Structures are given as structure tokens and as C-alpha cells.
Amino acid sequence: MPLIPTLDEARLALLNIADRATGLVTPSLRLGVTGLSRAGKTVFITALVHNLIKGGRLPLFEAAASGRIARAYLEPQPDDAVPRFDYEAHVRKLVEERLWPSSTRRVSELRVTLEFESATFLNRTLGRGRIHLDIVDYPGEWLLDLPLLAKDYATWSAETLARAREPARAALAASWLATLAGLDPTGPEDEGLARDLAEAFTGYLRAARADEHALSTLPPGRFLMPGDLEGSPALTFAPLDLAPGTVTVPKSLRAMMERRFEAYKDVVVRPFFRDHFARLDRQIVLVDALQALNAGPRAVADLELALTEILQCFRPGRLSWLGSILSRRIDRIVFAATKADHLHRDSHDRLEAILRRLVGRAIERASFAGAEVDVIAMAAVRATREASVSDRGETLPAILGVPLPGERLGGEAFDGEAEIAIFPGDLPDDPESVFERPDSISEALESESELQQAPHSGSQTDPGLGLEFVRFRPPRLERTAEGLTLSLPHIRLDRALQFLIGDRLT
């Protein structure tokens, strides 16, 4: 089953022709920022733009490191019907309040224009280069809907029920499954029953998404973030327990659910795919692997399945110059494990290896189609710094940071002002071990996590608290001797920038 019908393919071709026509004077590059919930999309975009505009410390971003970027500035975005990414508000939140901005709740867009000197003598003689970087941001939950385009209602129902009955989900789905029990799909359509089923199903999805479970395969995504569609028939359906091989009876509950499932795809998913997702040139996929690792192998396996299904909907590869006028392909993809600042740098390579294992099948497919792929352990905004602490005569690699107000660890609550030192443990050398162990990834750590106050305090809390990641406040920005505020610190944001756009600034 095609992701979008032929008519929509034609409309997509017209959109691409319009994009190319408007880019004849100044070319544009559309960068998609995607990822599942809590992966840090808003923070990534804000940090990327802040570092470009402020001239941040980007040693691996060649055009910036060599001083060839003359100017970077914001301009009005090209799509008038798409909300603007509220960069200024997010910067204030990070820099002035030292709090993390709210998660993405809708599609938004931001245009950054870069003026640069070419790296080649011939191009330099033609004058300064100029390119628009159009950044497209959208909720991670919506990514989960893309695989629905290739499924019918019966297939989706069977897969969703099978997952809900797995040991990791059975207790979470108990209330919804009880509502579903004994229901006759051939019975008459009933609006009240449809609302009850949709409400119970949504409750199960919310419970599965909670931090302690960190499950990822939770479509339909708009059930978790309905927006202006809340209460509409397109969001008032749920899976039914259908016997294999049965047919749909007109005016039945099943017919009602099937109709609304297809309406959801037509009203929500296809327009999103056609108008936004299928028009991208480059892609970064942000993954909160640490949360899944902390929840255990079932959450890791669930994350792997979610990423594999999502990435099957990508359009990777290279096109000829003529083909690029009518269509677009994503020719460079970055998979980034976020929140690398929650680990000591000794574990960054291991986090990278685990993510590479998670997205291995997607990398193979993208590479086969001609796309280039990179895998990075990254922190778009670095909230911690590294140090060494001593415990019972042993020196441990630690991270230092200020936990957010109200964060708790080992029975201690933090006020958002005091700095603490944490030994986060070490991820295993073998990435396969996180897929094989029956219990939490904490058993795979080489040492138990320990929480200590900053070294200058001279005291420490009880050791042996187990693995538990604390959310830290954004850092206080440094100032130069002239009083200028520096850009947001990061880990490997420059590497991601070089891979994603560096070739377009030569």
C-alpha cells in the first residue's frame, strides 16, 4: 500500500517545483528535526540557531572554525501557513530562567540564513555565498503515525492488541482490555461506546509513555497530543479484537471504527507526510536512549521497533539534478543519542555503539538507497561538567551539575541552586548486552551509582543508590571580559552541523 496516493504525489511534485523556483537566487536546505517524545528537539533547534547566530565554539564545523561564515541571521520562513518556531522565547527560558523549554506540540518552522565565503578560489571570486537553512520541527508522537499509512484497520488492531498483552504492557492495558472484553465488533455502531473505548485506550497509551516504563511504540500519536482535533470523530476510535478472516458488517461498531481509522490517516497523517515530512532534504533523528536503557531491555527493544517502523517511512537516497526538481530525497541522516552530558565522556563511545545497534536496520536501508548516515552521542546544551571525586580511597569519574528544583535522588530533594557530583556508572562495553539482560540496564553497569555533593561541601550522601538520571538545570552562560554572553555549550553539536550542512558551505 503506497504511503500517499498518486494525486498527493502530484501535489508534492508541485510543491517541490515551487520550492526549487524560489531557491534559484538563494538555495534552501530543509532540515527535519525528528525524534520521539522527550528526546530534546526544541533544545536542539534552539542551541543550533543560538550557536550559529552568536558564533559559538564549533571546532568541528569547518565553515565556522575557519571563519568563513560571515553572518547568520533569522528571516521570515517560506511557509505562511506553518507556525514559527519560537526561538526567542526558548532562548530566554534557557539563558535567563535556566529552565528547559516546553516540548514540541505542533509543527513549526524557522529560517536561518547563512552568508559565507567559499572554500574554493573560483567560487570566492564570484562573491559571497548565501543559503537558507529551513528547520522543520514537529512532535515526536506524530512520527509514530507514519507506519499507519501502510496498514489497514484490522492489521493495526491485531498488532496493537498483541503488544498490549505482552508482559511489559499487560498491567498498563488492563483497564482498556477490560472495557474491550466481551465486546461484539458486529454490534451496532454506538457513539457513547466509541468514546469510552477511545478514552480507555488513550489512558493505556499515556501510562505506557510514563518515564518509569518509557515504551515507544504508541500510535496513534495524536491521541497523546490531540490539539484542535480533540473530541473529533477522527480521534474517537480504538482497536477491536477481530477474529481473523471476518468481514465488516455495514453500520456495525467495526465499520464505525474502520471509517474513523481511515479518516485519521486522511485528515492527520497524509497531510503531515505530504506537506512536511516528504519535503525534507536532510534529517536528524534524536533518541533518548538513556531513558530506555534505564527502564530495561523491554523498553530498549520497544524503542528499536519504533525507530525501525518510523524510518521505513523515510525517503532516503540521491536524485539526479533533473529528478530533484520534481521530488526530494533525504541524502544525509544523523542519528543522535541525546543527553550525553548525563554520562562521563568515557561512556560516550559506548552510548554511540548502543544507538548504532538500535538503528542498524535503518542504517542499512538508508545506505543501500544512497544516503550517508552518521551516529553521534550528543548534548545540544551541556548542563554538566566533568570532575573526579574520591570515595573510600577510590577515584571515580563524575559529572557536576545543578539539578532542577524538585528533582529527587535517594530520598534527597534538590532546590535548584546547589551543585552536586554524580558518579553515573559506566555503560557496558558490549552493546548486545543491553538487549539480552532480563532486568534493568543498571545491572550491566560496572559500578553502582553514587550521589555526592560538590567537592567543596565536604560531605556526601549514602552510596549505593542504583542508576537514576537526574534532570539538571541549563548552565549559567559565561561572559567575556567585554561583557558579551557566550553561546550555549554543547557536546558534538558541531559534528552534527558539519555532517548535515557542511557540504553546502564549501
Side-chain angles (χ1 to χ4, degrees):
M1 183 181 298
L3 289 179
I4 53 178
T6 304
L7 184 61
D8 278 353
E9 287 283 7
R11 181 176 173 182
L12 180 58
L14 291 175
L15 287 172
N16 284 323
I17 291 172
D19 288 343
R20 300 306 184 194
T22 57
L24 289 176
V25 177
T26 301
S28 65
L29 184 71
R30 291 179 68 86
L31 170 64
V33 180
T34 69
L36 298 176
S37 181
R38 298 179 294 259
K41 297 180 294 300
T42 302
V43 173
F44 171 81
I45 296 171
T46 305
L48 181 152
V49 176
H50 193 260
N51 274 276
L52 287 176
I53 292 176
K54 292 283 187 178
R57 291 163 286 190
L58 303 167
L60 297 182
F61 184 32
E62 190 277 331
S66 62
R68 292 194 296 105
I69 295 182
R71 184 183 173 208
Y73 53 95
L74 296 175
E75 285 198 276
Q77 67 213 49
D79 299 308
D80 293 335
V82 180
R84 183 179 183 273
F85 180 85
D86 198 354
Y87 165 74
E88 293 81 4
H90 298 323
V91 167
R92 285 194 297 272
K93 196 81 170 178
L94 283 167
V95 175
E96 297 176 13
E97 301 178 41
R98 294 181 61 207
L99 295 173
W100 302 105
S102 301
S103 299
T104 302
R105 302 191 64 84
R106 60 182 183 179
V107 173
S108 64
E109 190 174 45
L110 192 68
R111 167 167 282 187
V112 185
T113 298
L114 301 173
E115 295 179 1
F116 63 96
E117 302 292 341
S118 175
T120 66
F121 173 78
L122 178 60
N123 286 338
R124 281 199 302 272
T125 62
L126 299 176
R128 182 175 290 175
R130 195 165 176 262
I131 188 172
H132 299 310
L133 179 62
D134 294 328
I135 304 171
V136 182
D137 175 39
Y138 49 87
E141 287 82 355
W142 295 12
L143 278 173
L144 301 171
D145 289 339
L146 296 181
L148 299 181
L149 293 174
K151 298 175 183 179
D152 60 19
Y153 175 75
T155 301
W156 172 70
S157 289
E159 291 177 354
T160 304
L161 282 164
R163 287 175 185 162
R165 288 165 176 156
E166 291 174 354
R169 297 177 179 236
L172 304 175
S175 177
W176 165 52
L177 293 176
T179 304
L180 195 61
L183 210 60
D184 181 11
T186 65
E189 58 185 15
D190 184 326
E191 185 64 45
L193 180 57
R195 286 199 301 269
D196 291 343
L197 287 171
E199 183 178 345
F201 178 56
T202 303
Y204 151 65
L205 296 179
R206 289 198 182 102
R209 189 180 62 170
D211 288 351
E212 61 269 26
H213 306 294
L215 299 176
S216 303
T217 47
L218 303 170
R222 280 291 186 97
F223 278 48
L224 296 172
M225 195 174 292
D228 56 2
L229 289 176
E230 186 169 10
S232 68
L235 265 65
T236 310
F237 65 93
L240 292 175
D241 205 349
L242 306 174
T246 56
V247 297
T248 303
V249 177
K251 298 290 186 178
S252 64
L253 181 63
R254 173 177 176 171
M256 181 188 205
M257 295 294 185
E258 284 183 342
R259 184 176 66 251
R260 293 182 175 186
F261 176 76
E262 293 301 324
Y264 182 85
K265 292 196 291 183
D266 289 339
V267 173
V268 175
V269 188
R270 282 196 178 93
F272 165 64
F273 183 87
R274 178 193 64 225
D275 298 338
H276 304 290
F277 197 78
R279 296 172 61 201
L280 300 175
D281 300 305
R282 303 280 165 91
Q283 185 86 51
I284 182 165
V285 182
L286 305 175
V287 183
D288 185 1
L290 292 180
Q291 186 181 53
L293 290 171
N294 199 31
R298 287 196 178 100
V300 172
D302 198 69
L303 176 60
E304 179 185 23
L305 176 61
L307 290 171
T308 300
E309 288 192 348
I310 288 166
L311 297 172
Q312 285 176 348
C313 298
F314 279 13
R315 297 157 68 98
R318 293 187 177 276
L319 292 169
S320 65
W321 177 85
L322 183 60
S324 68
I325 295 176
L326 297 175
S327 184
R328 269 186 149 107
R329 289 290 185 270
I330 297 171
D331 59 2
R332 291 197 177 195
I333 304 173
V334 169
F335 298 100
T338 57
K339 305 175 185 177
D341 57 335
H342 286 56
L343 297 170
H344 191 271
R345 64 176 177 271
D346 293 345
S347 281
H348 289 182
D349 287 346
R350 298 172 185 177
L351 179 60
E352 205 169 279
I354 290 170
L355 178 59
R356 188 174 292 276
R357 165 65 175 79
L358 269 171
V359 297
R361 282 180 283 177
I363 290 175
E364 288 180 7
R365 178 177 177 269
S367 300
F368 181 78
E372 298 181 50
V373 181
D374 196 10
V375 177
I376 301 173
M378 182 186 75
V381 173
R382 182 172 189 163
T384 67
R385 52 195 176 90
E386 295 180 349
S388 297
V389 296
S390 297
D391 179 53
R392 297 187 292 273
E394 182 181 3
T395 300
L396 301 174
I399 56 174
L400 304 177
V402 179
L404 286 169
E407 282 290 290
R408 304 183 67 88
L409 189 59
E412 181 177 357
F414 301 106
D415 60 5
E417 299 296 332
E419 186 177 59
I420 65 168
I422 295 178
F423 168 57
D426 299 313
L427 293 177
D429 288 322
D430 180 12
E432 289 295 332
S433 64
V434 306
F435 295 86
E436 298 168 356
R437 298 189 67 88
D439 300 313
S440 171
I441 188 61
S442 58
E443 294 187 7
L445 296 177
E446 295 178 4
S447 304
E448 291 182 327
S449 299
E450 297 185 9
L451 172 67
Q452 295 180 314
Q453 296 180 358
H456 63 262
S457 67
S459 62
Q460 66 181 51
T461 61
D462 294 334
L465 301 176
L467 178 65
E468 195 168 354
F469 296 113
V470 177
R471 294 184 301 161
F472 293 97
R473 292 187 69 178
R476 193 182 307 279
L477 292 194
E478 302 173 14
R479 290 181 180 269
T480 66
E482 295 77 20
L484 298 176
T485 301
L486 298 178
S487 58
L488 290 161
H490 61 86
I491 298 175
R492 300 184 190 91
L493 176 64
D494 51 346
R495 178 176 152 188
L497 270 170
Q498 176 62 26
F499 186 82
L500 288 167
I501 67 173
D503 63 312
R504 300 294 294 269
L505 301 175
T506 55

